[in-house]
Amino acid sequence: EAQVTQNPRYLITVTGKKLTVTCSQNMNHEYMSWYRQDPGLGLRQIYYSMNVEVTDKGDVPEGYKVSRKEKRNFPLILESPSPNQTSLYFCASSLIGPYEQYFGPGTRLTVT
Amino acid sequence: AQKITQTQPGMFVQEKEAVTLDCTYDTSDPSYGLFWYKQPSSGEMIFLIYQGSYDQQNATEGRYSLNFQKARKSANLVISASQLGDSAMYFCAMREVTGNQFYFGTGTSLTVIP
């Protein structure tokens, strides 16, 4: 089954404790992306990647890191999480070009 | 400036009626794609429909159609014969071919009334 998986689905952590949210897709997509969704703000792109070792900042990259060492995986790293990073996070993938993105199920992160 | 604007935070529609969700966009890129996604209360993002900037005809997918007015930079979603299962958040999105970023609007919450 074609899918994007994210882990964990739910995470409660404390300020400053490094965490990684994993994302994996099995559709051989070149393009992968991370978003955060906050009430009233819609989805905002954090980082995206056009291919292995190629990443670019989206609209809200501060406080996040990503890496793309394999085509299928695109982890999101919060080196020192803060409460303002409490949000719902989505990973997505697509082919390059005018194609829709396939979304993972989301990760609800709470930073206390 | 906002790339995608959805001015209707909430909408109500009677079951079996049609409803239009508004979306305007801002780009100077001649090549772009417009998308609509549905997010039910369970949280997943479901792709509904796509319109390319060079497409001459409005896109349709079952009960969904996209009213594309390029000169006005609008890409409204029309849902015909609304069903209770259409109650959800709806997001308009754009992808500029040159920039490769995706931009989403703030969403419209649609409630279908029996």
Side-chain angles (χ1 to χ4, degrees):
Chain A
E1 180 192 354
Q3 61 182 351
V4 178
T5 57
Q6 292 179 231
N7 282 293
R9 294 289 312 280
Y10 301 91
L11 181 59
I12 301 174
T13 190
V14 297
T15 299
K17 185 175 181 183
K18 181 180 178 180
L19 66 92
T20 299
V21 184
T22 64
C23 173
S24 184
Q25 51 95 3
N26 63 1
M27 294 168 279
N28 203 34
H29 287 164
E30 298 93 353
Y31 188 95
M32 296 187 74
S33 181
W34 276 102
Y35 298 88
R36 61 176 291 172
Q37 181 179 6
D38 303 290
L41 297 178
L43 280 80
R44 293 178 293 168
Q45 196 170 37
I46 303 171
Y47 271 95
Y48 63 96
S49 170
M50 301 286 285
N51 214 325
V52 175
E53 303 293 0
V54 181
T55 62
D56 274 301
K57 296 178 181 178
D59 287 334
V60 288
E62 295 77 20
Y64 304 95
K65 283 177 56 175
V66 292
S67 68
R68 187 95 181 271
K69 295 189 180 353
E70 302 168 285
K71 195 172 185 180
R72 64 183 293 127
N73 296 325
F74 191 45
L76 179 70
I77 303 155
L78 284 73
E79 295 267 4
S80 183
S82 63
N84 65 12
Q85 293 178 298
T86 292
S87 187
L88 177 60
Y89 291 86
F90 285 102
C91 180
S93 73
S94 73
L95 296 170
I96 299 285
Y99 300 100
E100 75 272 20
Q101 292 184 98
Y102 293 78
F103 281 81
T107 295
R108 188 163 292 281
L109 172 66
T110 302
V111 184
T112 61
Chain B
Q2 291 288 332
K3 288 282 191 178
I4 297 287
T5 302
Q6 294 180 254
T7 58
Q8 306 155 313
M11 290 279 286
F12 292 87
V13 64
Q14 205 76 36
E15 196 177 4
K16 298 187 178 68
E17 298 289 311
V19 63
T20 298
L21 306 184
D22 294 341
C23 173
T24 58
Y25 59 92
D26 181 30
T27 182
S28 55
D29 193 331
S31 183
Y32 52 90
L34 297 158
F35 305 82
W36 278 92
Y37 285 85
K38 172 184 178 181
Q39 186 180 42
S41 57
S42 51
E44 70 269 30
M45 295 290 289
I46 301 167
F47 166 72
L48 295 178
I49 195 166
Y50 163 80
Q51 179 86 43
S53 58
Y54 293 116
D55 293 343
Q56 295 296 315
Q57 304 224 353
N58 287 341
T60 60
E61 289 287 346
R63 294 186 298 110
Y64 304 109
S65 60
L66 201 153
N67 184 359
F68 181 45
Q69 298 189 42
K70 195 170 183 177
R72 294 187 177 185
K73 294 188 174 178
S74 77
N76 298 338
L77 177 70
V78 181
I79 305 174
S80 62
S82 296
Q83 302 171 356
L84 295 178
D86 294 334
S87 294
M89 281 290 287
Y90 289 82
F91 291 98
C92 180
M94 176 177 68
R95 182 179 194 172
E96 294 167 331
V97 172
T98 53
N100 287 304
Q101 276 190 253
F102 268 87
Y103 302 96
F104 281 81
T106 52
T108 295
S109 177
L110 177 67
T111 302
V112 180
I113 304 166

